[in-house]
Amino acid sequence: MTTVPQPPRTYNQIHVPRKYSPGKRRISIYWTWSYPWETNRATTDLDNRFSTMTEVRRVAWPAYEGTEWDEKHFLQGIAGTLELFHRSALAFQKVVGEASGHSVAVFQRIDQAGYKLPIDDRILADTDTLMVFGLDHLLSEQEADHEEIAAVRKWLEREGTCLLLGPHHDVGFTEDLKQRQQEYLHHGDALVPRQQRFGQYTRSMMKGLGVPVINQFGLRPALVKGTRQIAPLTINRDLDELGLLNGVTTFNFHPHLPHYALTGADPKSVRVLTQQPIDLERPHPFVEAGNTEFNSCIWMPPNTQRAGHILLADSTIFTTLFGGVESLETFWKNLAMLPLGSAVRAKQPQAVA
């Protein structure tokens, strides 16, 4: 049996802008981290760092015991774990690239070579959907500056644009060590420390754009009883005018997903499209407060100041690190095929005379 060789990979290249094609959406991913800051974290620090690849191999054994993951072929420190995230997005890039007819551009705020790339017209000019993956630790102090927020706000004036914000979890934000331990036991992932707070960049972008949402906790989804399958989403299909959830029943399982809490928004301007049932057999302060589900996908339709859409969904929904199902690929394709024309403008409430 012969193995088909993979196309050659390029590295350290300048992005070549994608030409506009009517009806063909150009999608870009923006990782908000400083790659050097994250990879230079001391492995003696217990909290607020990514795992090393060695730790991943130990906990996930024997999943990464093939030759391709050993020290001769793969980075064994924190850098290896960040590369896992990059590799896990390849399936998404392939699916949506085929659906949209455009390759997916991937950018990092500060990359492996130390080059900083803020969000500006260099990224936005040939992008119709910008996916901002908020995997920067709060301690790294990544902030969207005024120029970036202004650039994104102006870009959203272009009809058909879509900004997807994905602030990741905020585990162990409290100083109460007993609660930190409870949260840790709830999600059950030995690779996540008692405190791991993500998403300062996306939080600052949301504040600047007036997105009334905050990422909270890291909650473990419920499974279908007697199986290892994630429980179906609760989908508010009457609110899904875009058809993003057509044919979708579940996202993928990830043991610590953020709750996207609304902070006093008008329900007509911020629509909770999906909620994920929580594993109620594992105690958690959010569950003890009476919650059985958390908000997992939110849509802010265009309005009089903004022609583009704003979505919130966790970055792990677009990776294969935590499994994947046909339903998930359907969601990817729906996102890729979102029309660029005025047909996707949400119904606006009628003005009162």
Side-chain angles (χ1 to χ4, degrees):
M1 184 175 180
T2 58
T3 302
V4 178
Q6 296 296 311
R9 295 177 59 83
T10 63
Y11 180 70
N12 220 20
Q13 303 293 312
I14 300 298
H15 173 62
V16 177
R18 296 156 292 184
K19 293 183 179 180
Y20 171 77
S21 301
K24 299 292 186 180
R25 184 168 288 273
R26 296 161 296 179
I27 298 175
S28 300
I29 293 172
Y30 185 82
W31 298 93
T32 61
W33 56 41
S34 163
Y35 193 103
W37 189 93
E38 301 292 353
T39 58
N40 284 328
R41 289 285 283 160
T43 56
T44 53
D45 289 336
L46 293 181
D47 294 326
N48 293 303
R49 69 167 175 86
F50 286 102
S51 306
T52 64
M53 188 60 192
T54 301
E55 291 166 329
V56 171
R57 289 175 60 190
R58 180 183 296 120
V59 170
W61 191 93
Y64 293 99
E65 289 308 295
T67 303
E68 66 270 32
W69 304 109
D70 68 20
E71 64 278 3
K72 293 182 180 179
H73 298 89
F74 200 76
L75 296 163
Q76 298 299 298
I78 292 173
T81 301
L82 296 197
E83 292 304 322
L84 284 183
F85 280 98
H86 282 307
R87 290 175 68 137
S88 69
L90 291 175
F92 170 79
Q93 292 172 239
K94 181 176 185 295
V95 168
V96 302
E98 291 174 350
S100 68
H102 288 290
S103 61
V104 176
V106 180
F107 305 101
Q108 299 177 89
R109 184 158 183 78
I110 305 179
D111 68 11
Q112 293 92 325
Y115 291 104
K116 183 174 181 177
L117 179 63
I119 295 178
D120 57 25
D121 285 344
R122 291 173 294 175
I123 292 174
L124 299 172
D126 75 322
T127 295
D128 303 303
T129 294
L130 178 63
M131 310 177 74
V132 183
F133 289 170
L135 278 164
D136 56 297
H137 281 89
L138 265 61
L139 289 179
S140 70
E141 299 181 333
Q142 300 304 312
E143 293 266 355
D145 61 33
H146 296 301
E147 289 77 13
E148 289 177 278
I149 293 167
V152 172
R153 185 180 292 115
K154 182 174 178 57
W155 173 74
L156 284 168
E157 293 175 3
R158 194 175 89 205
E159 190 168 26
T161 51
C162 179
L163 174 66
L164 187 144
L165 297 166
H168 201 35
H169 64 238
D170 187 0
V171 169
F173 64 89
T174 178
E175 293 303 314
D176 184 342
L177 300 186
K178 290 183 179 179
Q179 180 175 322
R180 287 193 194 179
Q181 178 68 354
Q182 185 184 48
E183 291 184 45
Y184 177 79
L185 295 175
H186 170 80
H187 64 68
D189 186 346
L191 290 171
V192 170
R194 268 64 175 185
Q195 186 181 76
Q196 190 173 47
R197 307 192 66 187
F198 282 116
Q200 182 59 31
Y201 183 86
T202 41
R203 285 181 173 184
S204 62
M205 181 64 73
M206 290 189 291
K207 181 179 179 181
L209 295 175
V211 176
V213 177
I214 186 71
N215 56 312
Q216 295 179 335
F217 299 117
L219 297 158
R220 187 181 181 92
L223 298 177
V224 176
K225 192 167 185 177
T227 76
R228 297 179 63 85
Q229 297 178 342
I230 189 171
L233 292 162
T234 299
I235 301 176
N236 298 313
R237 296 193 183 276
D238 58 327
L239 301 179
D240 182 25
E241 296 173 27
L242 300 180
L244 283 171
L245 285 307
N246 288 349
V248 176
T249 56
T250 63
F251 295 146
N252 58 350
F253 179 81
H254 182 72
H256 26 77
L257 286 167
H259 167 55
Y260 290 143
L262 305 186
T263 57
D266 178 356
K268 292 180 181 179
S269 65
V270 181
R271 307 183 187 184
V272 178
L273 298 184
T274 68
Q275 293 173 297
Q276 180 66 54
I278 305 169
D279 185 341
L280 301 179
E281 295 182 2
R282 296 168 178 251
H284 189 282
F286 190 67
V287 174
E288 291 171 355
N291 299 287
T292 59
E293 299 179 316
F294 60 88
N295 299 337
S296 57
C297 184
I298 290 174
W299 172 43
M300 292 181 65
N303 55 32
T304 54
Q305 289 79 39
R306 171 173 45 81
H309 304 270
I310 296 178
L311 293 170
L312 288 101
D314 189 64
S315 57
T316 56
I317 293 173
F318 306 98
T319 72
T320 55
L321 269 181
F322 308 95
V325 293
E326 184 178 348
S327 172
L328 193 64
E329 287 198 10
T330 299
F331 180 65
W332 295 351
K333 291 176 183 177
N334 291 345
L335 183 65
M337 299 305 292
L338 188 67
L340 288 169
S342 58
V344 295
R345 290 187 70 86
K347 297 175 184 176
Q348 298 296 322
Q350 297 296 315
V352 178

